[in-house]
Amino acid sequence: MAAAAADAAVKVAEIRDLTRIERIGAHSHIRGLGLDDTLEPRQTSQGMVGQLQARRAAGVVLEMIKGGKIAGRAILLAGQPGTGKTAIAMAMAQALGTDTPFTTLAGSEIFSLEMSKTEALTQAFRKSIGIRIKEETEIIEGEVVEIQIDRPATGTGAKVGKLIMKTTEMETIYDLGNKMIESLTKEKIQAGDIITIDKATGKITKLGRSFTRARDYDASGPETRFIQCPEGELQKRKEVIHTVSLHEIDVINSRTQGFLALFSGDTGEIKSEVREQINAKVSEWREEGKADIIPGVLFIDEVHMLDIECFSFLNRALENELAPVVIMATNRGITRIRGTHYSSPHGIPLDLLDRTIIISTSPYDERDIRDILKIRCEEEDCEISDDGLLILTRIGMEASLRYAIQLISLAYLVATRRKGTEITVEDIKKVYTLFLDEVRSTAFLKEYQDQFMFHENPEQSKFPLFTYIIYSISMPLTHLH
Ligand SMILES: Nc1ncnc2c1ncn2[C@@H]1O[C@H](COP(=O)(O)OP(=O)(O)OP(=O)(O)O)[C@@H](O)[C@H]1O
Ligand SMILES: [Mg+2]
């Protein structure tokens, strides 16, 4: 089974290689929490601006997570809309790096998947637990002396060939099968390359080119890495480390899903027996020193969208031995808990709040807004004039930070249309009149609401007037009695 998991790890790594896309998103300017070595936040660093208190707190939590010892803690980021809660969570993900699993889930996603709410949550929990598997494999590492490929005279049938490899001390000839020939061609391996071949999987990795070939520099291109020819034996034992999530092991070992399900993401429900077996195996490997558990982070954004069943699931799941650190975010005040008639702070039941530590975020001042907008302009590759930034900051203060961020790319489009190179006040004015913010849109609706469908402004609705009439008629009657 350890071999199965290692095999799974290789497959998962291959899939991950396929799906790496970078785009400019709402938080793509954020590269970390921007803290110094003593965990003090810098005013502006790594794309983060201000919000010092919350960033300081997030830094402490980050250290706790990095330690890898603590699991099953819940942290709540609470604050007004647009105060950087999601941004801080993304910064934590960046700071943790790729080796610690970080799963993001929006509260409302639970209800749209084709599986039960608790299954979706369980999968999210297990995606956030990493298993680091140590494995010894045999590899062949050396410099390629020669590759001979014999094509069959008939033109069809399997190719065969020979590969001569050497270290500083020895030289060996290996027979090549069809598959190995294909991989050698795919990796464009030639004489003079230093390569490793994994004996179990046949995977070939090119490490660089031998120094002895440095004089062929012109032919090899500027990005070629030159390295020494390896010493010692050609065959070596090497420890390789794979990190996979518990969920990935679940899927690969689940007979009804299989490994291909990872491609589509459509993993369906996983039987609890499979999970129990995997848990047992993982703790066995842990005792044998073959695997380490890395508790990662599950980030549940818009957590107030969860309902009472999900909340009680969270209560229990947090106490599990294999639980990640759960970070939640909400912008709600005292509101109804979904699925009940009761109200609670942030729409979260008190028993879950009791297990939670709360980090609060507060609205930004003018300087912070200006700095965030400036960073966003750089991120979106838009030049802006000084007074343009001033006006945009004003809009950010009066409408909202998000609205001002949205205007950047729109205004830049207008600027490029008039063949300008930077956003000016005029461009901003233009998009400001073209696109309404929430406040102006509401004002507009209030003014013209009787021309819209389903309007319900209490000031103009007929119902209060009607009750008023009834009330004023009945009052004198009751007085008579
Ligand atoms: N301190 C900050 N530094 C840099 N960018 C920030 C900061 N705070 C917020 N932003 C950016 O401002 C925008 C709005 O912030 P964010 O989405 O994090 O708000 P939020 O608190 O999650 O709001 P909501 O409650 O509506 O989800 C995002 O594009 C975010 O990247
Ligand atoms: Mg958010």
PDB file of all heavy atoms in Angstrom, residues 131 246 275-293 321-322:
ATOM      1  N   ILE A 131      -0.082  14.353   3.416  1.00  0.00           N
ATOM      2  CA  ILE A 131       0.703  13.220   3.889  1.00  0.00           C
ATOM      3  C   ILE A 131       2.023  13.251   3.135  1.00  0.00           C
ATOM      4  O   ILE A 131       2.036  13.242   1.907  1.00  0.00           O
ATOM      5  CB  ILE A 131       0.001  11.870   3.584  1.00  0.00           C
ATOM      6  CG1 ILE A 131      -1.444  11.893   4.062  1.00  0.00           C
ATOM      7  CG2 ILE A 131       0.760  10.700   4.176  1.00  0.00           C
ATOM      8  CD1 ILE A 131      -1.599  11.881   5.542  1.00  0.00           C
ATOM      9  N   LEU A 246      -4.849  13.734   1.905  1.00  0.00           N
ATOM     10  CA  LEU A 246      -5.624  12.554   2.289  1.00  0.00           C
ATOM     11  C   LEU A 246      -6.724  12.286   1.275  1.00  0.00           C
ATOM     12  O   LEU A 246      -7.001  11.148   0.916  1.00  0.00           O
ATOM     13  CB  LEU A 246      -6.291  12.810   3.641  1.00  0.00           C
ATOM     14  CG  LEU A 246      -5.679  12.220   4.891  1.00  0.00           C
ATOM     15  CD1 LEU A 246      -6.605  12.490   6.053  1.00  0.00           C
ATOM     16  CD2 LEU A 246      -5.415  10.744   4.752  1.00  0.00           C
ATOM     17  N   ARG A 275     -12.407   5.480   3.719  1.00  0.00           N
ATOM     18  CA  ARG A 275     -11.718   6.476   4.545  1.00  0.00           C
ATOM     19  C   ARG A 275     -11.147   5.856   5.807  1.00  0.00           C
ATOM     20  O   ARG A 275     -10.044   6.181   6.221  1.00  0.00           O
ATOM     21  CB  ARG A 275     -12.697   7.586   4.926  1.00  0.00           C
ATOM     22  CG  ARG A 275     -13.089   8.421   3.746  1.00  0.00           C
ATOM     23  CD  ARG A 275     -13.427   9.838   4.161  1.00  0.00           C
ATOM     24  NE  ARG A 275     -13.579  10.664   2.985  1.00  0.00           N
ATOM     25  CZ  ARG A 275     -14.753  11.064   2.511  1.00  0.00           C
ATOM     26  NH1 ARG A 275     -15.873  10.713   3.120  1.00  0.00           N
ATOM     27  NH2 ARG A 275     -14.800  11.804   1.431  1.00  0.00           N
ATOM     28  N   GLU A 276     -11.934   4.952   6.411  1.00  0.00           N
ATOM     29  CA  GLU A 276     -11.434   4.320   7.640  1.00  0.00           C
ATOM     30  C   GLU A 276     -10.160   3.533   7.371  1.00  0.00           C
ATOM     31  O   GLU A 276      -9.205   3.595   8.142  1.00  0.00           O
ATOM     32  CB  GLU A 276     -12.501   3.398   8.233  1.00  0.00           C
ATOM     33  CG  GLU A 276     -13.495   4.166   9.084  1.00  0.00           C
ATOM     34  CD  GLU A 276     -14.813   3.432   9.232  1.00  0.00           C
ATOM     35  OE1 GLU A 276     -14.804   2.184   9.132  1.00  0.00           O
ATOM     36  OE2 GLU A 276     -15.841   4.095   9.422  1.00  0.00           O
ATOM     37  N   GLN A 277     -10.169   2.782   6.262  1.00  0.00           N
ATOM     38  CA  GLN A 277      -8.973   2.000   5.912  1.00  0.00           C
ATOM     39  C   GLN A 277      -7.765   2.895   5.695  1.00  0.00           C
ATOM     40  O   GLN A 277      -6.667   2.604   6.154  1.00  0.00           O
ATOM     41  CB  GLN A 277      -9.219   1.223   4.619  1.00  0.00           C
ATOM     42  CG  GLN A 277      -9.970  -0.069   4.832  1.00  0.00           C
ATOM     43  CD  GLN A 277     -10.292  -0.726   3.495  1.00  0.00           C
ATOM     44  OE1 GLN A 277      -9.695  -0.395   2.481  1.00  0.00           O
ATOM     45  NE2 GLN A 277     -11.240  -1.640   3.516  1.00  0.00           N
ATOM     46  N   ILE A 278      -8.012   4.003   4.998  1.00  0.00           N
ATOM     47  CA  ILE A 278      -6.898   4.919   4.716  1.00  0.00           C
ATOM     48  C   ILE A 278      -6.357   5.509   6.017  1.00  0.00           C
ATOM     49  O   ILE A 278      -5.148   5.562   6.220  1.00  0.00           O
ATOM     50  CB  ILE A 278      -7.355   6.059   3.781  1.00  0.00           C
ATOM     51  CG1 ILE A 278      -7.957   5.497   2.515  1.00  0.00           C
ATOM     52  CG2 ILE A 278      -6.242   7.070   3.515  1.00  0.00           C
ATOM     53  CD1 ILE A 278      -7.055   5.288   1.380  1.00  0.00           C
ATOM     54  N   ASN A 279      -7.290   5.902   6.908  1.00  0.00           N
ATOM     55  CA  ASN A 279      -6.837   6.450   8.201  1.00  0.00           C
ATOM     56  C   ASN A 279      -5.959   5.446   8.927  1.00  0.00           C
ATOM     57  O   ASN A 279      -4.923   5.806   9.486  1.00  0.00           O
ATOM     58  CB  ASN A 279      -8.028   6.787   9.093  1.00  0.00           C
ATOM     59  CG  ASN A 279      -8.748   8.018   8.601  1.00  0.00           C
ATOM     60  OD1 ASN A 279      -8.282   8.659   7.666  1.00  0.00           O
ATOM     61  ND2 ASN A 279      -9.868   8.340   9.222  1.00  0.00           N
ATOM     62  N   ALA A 280      -6.400   4.177   8.935  1.00  0.00           N
ATOM     63  CA  ALA A 280      -5.652   3.147   9.639  1.00  0.00           C
ATOM     64  C   ALA A 280      -4.266   2.994   9.005  1.00  0.00           C
ATOM     65  O   ALA A 280      -3.254   2.914   9.710  1.00  0.00           O
ATOM     66  CB  ALA A 280      -6.406   1.824   9.594  1.00  0.00           C
ATOM     67  N   LYS A 281      -4.238   2.958   7.663  1.00  0.00           N
ATOM     68  CA  LYS A 281      -2.960   2.795   6.956  1.00  0.00           C
ATOM     69  C   LYS A 281      -2.027   3.956   7.258  1.00  0.00           C
ATOM     70  O   LYS A 281      -0.849   3.769   7.535  1.00  0.00           O
ATOM     71  CB  LYS A 281      -3.214   2.757   5.434  1.00  0.00           C
ATOM     72  CG  LYS A 281      -3.292   1.370   4.882  1.00  0.00           C
ATOM     73  CD  LYS A 281      -1.926   0.712   4.866  1.00  0.00           C
ATOM     74  CE  LYS A 281      -2.098  -0.768   4.707  1.00  0.00           C
ATOM     75  NZ  LYS A 281      -1.233  -1.637   5.383  1.00  0.00           N
ATOM     76  N   VAL A 282      -2.604   5.176   7.213  1.00  0.00           N
ATOM     77  CA  VAL A 282      -1.762   6.356   7.429  1.00  0.00           C
ATOM     78  C   VAL A 282      -1.144   6.330   8.823  1.00  0.00           C
ATOM     79  O   VAL A 282       0.048   6.603   8.980  1.00  0.00           O
ATOM     80  CB  VAL A 282      -2.576   7.650   7.198  1.00  0.00           C
ATOM     81  CG1 VAL A 282      -1.839   8.863   7.723  1.00  0.00           C
ATOM     82  CG2 VAL A 282      -2.855   7.834   5.723  1.00  0.00           C
ATOM     83  N   SER A 283      -1.937   5.931   9.824  1.00  0.00           N
ATOM     84  CA  SER A 283      -1.323   5.928  11.157  1.00  0.00           C
ATOM     85  C   SER A 283      -0.285   4.807  11.268  1.00  0.00           C
ATOM     86  O   SER A 283       0.708   4.951  11.978  1.00  0.00           O
ATOM     87  CB  SER A 283      -2.371   5.859  12.271  1.00  0.00           C
ATOM     88  OG  SER A 283      -3.235   4.822  12.020  1.00  0.00           O
ATOM     89  N   GLU A 284      -0.497   3.714  10.520  1.00  0.00           N
ATOM     90  CA  GLU A 284       0.512   2.652  10.484  1.00  0.00           C
ATOM     91  C   GLU A 284       1.831   3.175   9.894  1.00  0.00           C
ATOM     92  O   GLU A 284       2.897   2.996  10.476  1.00  0.00           O
ATOM     93  CB  GLU A 284      -0.024   1.536   9.578  1.00  0.00           C
ATOM     94  CG  GLU A 284       0.422   0.147   9.934  1.00  0.00           C
ATOM     95  CD  GLU A 284      -0.322  -0.841   9.041  1.00  0.00           C
ATOM     96  OE1 GLU A 284      -1.481  -1.206   9.357  1.00  0.00           O
ATOM     97  OE2 GLU A 284       0.249  -1.197   7.998  1.00  0.00           O
ATOM     98  N   TRP A 285       1.720   3.862   8.741  1.00  0.00           N
ATOM     99  CA  TRP A 285       2.932   4.397   8.099  1.00  0.00           C
ATOM    100  C   TRP A 285       3.633   5.386   9.014  1.00  0.00           C
ATOM    101  O   TRP A 285       4.842   5.477   9.029  1.00  0.00           O
ATOM    102  CB  TRP A 285       2.598   5.146   6.799  1.00  0.00           C
ATOM    103  CG  TRP A 285       2.021   4.317   5.726  1.00  0.00           C
ATOM    104  CD1 TRP A 285       2.149   2.967   5.579  1.00  0.00           C
ATOM    105  CD2 TRP A 285       1.228   4.770   4.640  1.00  0.00           C
ATOM    106  NE1 TRP A 285       1.476   2.562   4.462  1.00  0.00           N
ATOM    107  CE2 TRP A 285       0.904   3.641   3.861  1.00  0.00           C
ATOM    108  CE3 TRP A 285       0.757   6.008   4.237  1.00  0.00           C
ATOM    109  CZ2 TRP A 285       0.124   3.726   2.716  1.00  0.00           C
ATOM    110  CZ3 TRP A 285      -0.002   6.097   3.102  1.00  0.00           C
ATOM    111  CH2 TRP A 285      -0.318   4.961   2.347  1.00  0.00           C
ATOM    112  N   ARG A 286       2.796   6.134   9.749  1.00  0.00           N
ATOM    113  CA  ARG A 286       3.364   7.140  10.628  1.00  0.00           C
ATOM    114  C   ARG A 286       4.196   6.472  11.711  1.00  0.00           C
ATOM    115  O   ARG A 286       5.300   6.898  12.021  1.00  0.00           O
ATOM    116  CB  ARG A 286       2.209   7.900  11.250  1.00  0.00           C
ATOM    117  CG  ARG A 286       2.578   9.255  11.737  1.00  0.00           C
ATOM    118  CD  ARG A 286       1.296   9.951  11.976  1.00  0.00           C
ATOM    119  NE  ARG A 286       1.361  10.841  13.098  1.00  0.00           N
ATOM    120  CZ  ARG A 286       0.278  11.295  13.694  1.00  0.00           C
ATOM    121  NH1 ARG A 286      -0.916  10.867  13.320  1.00  0.00           N
ATOM    122  NH2 ARG A 286       0.383  12.140  14.679  1.00  0.00           N
ATOM    123  N   GLU A 287       3.643   5.387  12.264  1.00  0.00           N
ATOM    124  CA  GLU A 287       4.386   4.674  13.309  1.00  0.00           C
ATOM    125  C   GLU A 287       5.667   4.058  12.755  1.00  0.00           C
ATOM    126  O   GLU A 287       6.689   4.014  13.420  1.00  0.00           O
ATOM    127  CB  GLU A 287       3.508   3.584  13.930  1.00  0.00           C
ATOM    128  CG  GLU A 287       2.642   4.128  15.030  1.00  0.00           C
ATOM    129  CD  GLU A 287       1.484   3.210  15.358  1.00  0.00           C
ATOM    130  OE1 GLU A 287       1.629   1.993  15.140  1.00  0.00           O
ATOM    131  OE2 GLU A 287       0.440   3.712  15.808  1.00  0.00           O
ATOM    132  N   GLU A 288       5.606   3.570  11.518  1.00  0.00           N
ATOM    133  CA  GLU A 288       6.786   2.952  10.908  1.00  0.00           C
ATOM    134  C   GLU A 288       7.778   3.992  10.393  1.00  0.00           C
ATOM    135  O   GLU A 288       8.812   3.639   9.836  1.00  0.00           O
ATOM    136  CB  GLU A 288       6.353   2.063   9.732  1.00  0.00           C
ATOM    137  CG  GLU A 288       5.579   0.835  10.161  1.00  0.00           C
ATOM    138  CD  GLU A 288       4.885   0.150   8.987  1.00  0.00           C
ATOM    139  OE1 GLU A 288       5.095   0.577   7.833  1.00  0.00           O
ATOM    140  OE2 GLU A 288       4.129  -0.790   9.233  1.00  0.00           O
ATOM    141  N   GLY A 289       7.428   5.264  10.533  1.00  0.00           N
ATOM    142  CA  GLY A 289       8.326   6.332  10.070  1.00  0.00           C
ATOM    143  C   GLY A 289       8.331   6.501   8.567  1.00  0.00           C
ATOM    144  O   GLY A 289       9.242   7.121   8.015  1.00  0.00           O
ATOM    145  N   LYS A 290       7.325   5.932   7.875  1.00  0.00           N
ATOM    146  CA  LYS A 290       7.296   6.057   6.412  1.00  0.00           C
ATOM    147  C   LYS A 290       6.585   7.315   5.956  1.00  0.00           C
ATOM    148  O   LYS A 290       6.703   7.713   4.809  1.00  0.00           O
ATOM    149  CB  LYS A 290       6.544   4.866   5.806  1.00  0.00           C
ATOM    150  CG  LYS A 290       7.332   3.583   5.769  1.00  0.00           C
ATOM    151  CD  LYS A 290       6.541   2.563   4.995  1.00  0.00           C
ATOM    152  CE  LYS A 290       7.046   1.174   5.237  1.00  0.00           C
ATOM    153  NZ  LYS A 290       5.978   0.177   5.132  1.00  0.00           N
ATOM    154  N   ALA A 291       5.771   7.882   6.838  1.00  0.00           N
ATOM    155  CA  ALA A 291       4.994   9.049   6.414  1.00  0.00           C
ATOM    156  C   ALA A 291       4.833  10.044   7.556  1.00  0.00           C
ATOM    157  O   ALA A 291       4.844   9.665   8.732  1.00  0.00           O
ATOM    158  CB  ALA A 291       3.622   8.603   5.925  1.00  0.00           C
ATOM    159  N   ASP A 292       4.728  11.308   7.190  1.00  0.00           N
ATOM    160  CA  ASP A 292       4.425  12.361   8.175  1.00  0.00           C
ATOM    161  C   ASP A 292       3.114  13.003   7.797  1.00  0.00           C
ATOM    162  O   ASP A 292       2.790  13.096   6.617  1.00  0.00           O
ATOM    163  CB  ASP A 292       5.493  13.461   8.125  1.00  0.00           C
ATOM    164  CG  ASP A 292       6.800  12.992   8.689  1.00  0.00           C
ATOM    165  OD1 ASP A 292       6.757  12.231   9.671  1.00  0.00           O
ATOM    166  OD2 ASP A 292       7.853  13.385   8.135  1.00  0.00           O
ATOM    167  N   ILE A 293       2.408  13.465   8.817  1.00  0.00           N
ATOM    168  CA  ILE A 293       1.158  14.164   8.531  1.00  0.00           C
ATOM    169  C   ILE A 293       1.410  15.666   8.603  1.00  0.00           C
ATOM    170  O   ILE A 293       2.034  16.149   9.545  1.00  0.00           O
ATOM    171  CB  ILE A 293       0.078  13.744   9.534  1.00  0.00           C
ATOM    172  CG1 ILE A 293      -0.262  12.281   9.269  1.00  0.00           C
ATOM    173  CG2 ILE A 293      -1.161  14.615   9.429  1.00  0.00           C
ATOM    174  CD1 ILE A 293      -1.179  11.679  10.243  1.00  0.00           C
ATOM    175  N   GLU A 321      -8.593  13.812  15.170  1.00  0.00           N
ATOM    176  CA  GLU A 321      -7.126  13.847  15.223  1.00  0.00           C
ATOM    177  C   GLU A 321      -6.537  14.352  13.902  1.00  0.00           C
ATOM    178  O   GLU A 321      -5.539  15.053  13.880  1.00  0.00           O
ATOM    179  CB  GLU A 321      -6.628  12.424  15.495  1.00  0.00           C
ATOM    180  CG  GLU A 321      -5.174  12.360  15.811  1.00  0.00           C
ATOM    181  CD  GLU A 321      -4.630  10.950  15.631  1.00  0.00           C
ATOM    182  OE1 GLU A 321      -5.428  10.031  15.289  1.00  0.00           O
ATOM    183  OE2 GLU A 321      -3.435  10.777  15.806  1.00  0.00           O
ATOM    184  N   LEU A 322      -7.183  13.992  12.805  1.00  0.00           N
ATOM    185  CA  LEU A 322      -6.694  14.412  11.488  1.00  0.00           C
ATOM    186  C   LEU A 322      -7.442  15.654  10.992  1.00  0.00           C
ATOM    187  O   LEU A 322      -8.026  15.646   9.922  1.00  0.00           O
ATOM    188  CB  LEU A 322      -6.882  13.284  10.474  1.00  0.00           C
ATOM    189  CG  LEU A 322      -5.995  12.057  10.602  1.00  0.00           C
ATOM    190  CD1 LEU A 322      -6.394  11.005   9.612  1.00  0.00           C
ATOM    191  CD2 LEU A 322      -4.539  12.436  10.410  1.00  0.00           C
TER     192      LEU A 322
END
